[in-house]
């Protein structure tokens, strides 16, 4: 009888060891969680070139303020931040284009690209353009500065960094 109890205890101990091992192998990694990795990686290093893809739409308040009556659907656009050249651009009709990129300012998780301007559009003189991308939230906001000093938010949206596959 004592022999059966010893065998049962041994089998029980082996089973518990196996279960314990599986729990640790299949459970969460012992390093930082995926969430903490995401929040640490999101701000990114201020090196190289960051390619972004953005879904953008006209801001209703800006559209009304500038008297834009055309219905513009949301669109997908590319954007790029070049930390080495301290510049940035994004695609669009009213955009800081690749051929005339703006000057980059890094403000924490926010990337601000500005460019002076002097052109007339929507019946007003535009004296400056800028867009801001928040690396933490992906939020994109483009504003125009009018010659009378008013700042009008014209385009808003969301951007995500383009990651290249490893092949």
């Amino acid at each position: 009888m004592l022999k059966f109890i010893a065998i049962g205890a041994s089998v029980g101990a082996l089973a518990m060891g196996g279960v314990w091992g599986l729990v640790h192998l299949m459970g969460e990694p012992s390093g930082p969680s995926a969430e903490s990795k995401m929040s640490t990686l999101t701000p990114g290093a201020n090196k190289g070139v960051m390619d972004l893809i953005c879904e953008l739409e006209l801001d209703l308040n800006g559209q009304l303020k500038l008297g834009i009556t055309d219905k513009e659907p949301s669109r997908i656009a590319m954007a790029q931040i070049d930390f080495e050249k301290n510049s940035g651009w994004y695609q669009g009709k009213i955009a800081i284009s690749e051929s005339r990129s703006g000057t980059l300012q890094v403000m924490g998780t926010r990337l601000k690209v500005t460019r002076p301007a002097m052109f007339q559009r929507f019946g007003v003189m535009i004296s400056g353009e800028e867009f801001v991308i928040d690396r933490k939230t992906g939020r994109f906001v483009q504003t125009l500065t009018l010659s009378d000093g008013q700042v009008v938010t014209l385009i808003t949206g969301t951007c995500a960094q383009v990651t290249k596959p490893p092949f």
Side-chain angles (χ1 to χ4, degrees):
M1 177 85 163
L2 197 54
K3 182 178 173 183
F4 290 123
I5 292 174
I7 290 174
S10 297
V11 170
L14 284 173
M16 283 302 292
V19 169
W20 182 82
L22 281 174
V23 166
H24 284 286
L25 281 175
M26 308 278 294
E28 289 190 29
S30 60
S33 70
E35 260 184 38
S36 67
K37 282 182 188 175
M38 185 73 153
S39 63
T40 345
L41 295 176
T42 302
N46 295 339
K47 296 179 183 172
V49 174
M50 180 187 294
D51 292 317
L52 301 149
I53 188 157
C54 306
E55 184 174 9
L56 306 175
E57 61 188 13
L58 280 178
D59 181 77
L60 183 60
N61 292 330
Q63 190 175 352
L64 293 173
K65 189 173 255 187
L66 293 173
I68 301 170
T69 56
D70 296 340
K71 176 102 172 120
E72 288 283 332
S74 64
R75 60 186 170 83
I76 302 296
M78 293 296 299
Q80 187 178 79
I81 303 294
D82 189 331
F83 293 102
E84 305 303 317
K85 294 180 181 177
N86 268 346
S87 66
W89 57 267
Y90 80 98
Q91 298 172 328
K93 289 181 186 177
I94 309 160
I96 296 178
S97 63
E98 186 173 5
S99 63
R100 292 189 37 208
S101 59
T103 305
L104 172 67
Q105 288 179 285
V106 179
M107 305 174 315
T109 61
R110 297 177 55 199
L111 304 172
K112 180 179 179 180
V113 177
T114 59
R115 183 176 76 183
M118 192 54 73
F119 60 89
Q120 187 151 351
R121 194 111 195 232
F122 316 114
V124 295
M125 185 60 77
I126 296 172
S127 62
E129 307 170 90
E130 82 175 37
F131 70 90
V132 176
I133 298 174
D134 189 326
R135 286 192 274 192
K136 191 171 184 177
T137 63
R139 181 92 175 122
F140 175 101
V141 178
Q142 186 240 9
T143 58
L144 299 176
T145 303
L146 308 182
S147 59
D148 64 1
Q150 289 184 67
V151 177
V152 177
T153 300
L154 186 59
I155 298 173
T156 59
T158 306
C159 296
Q161 188 169 357
V162 176
T163 54
K164 295 184 174 134
F167 47 86

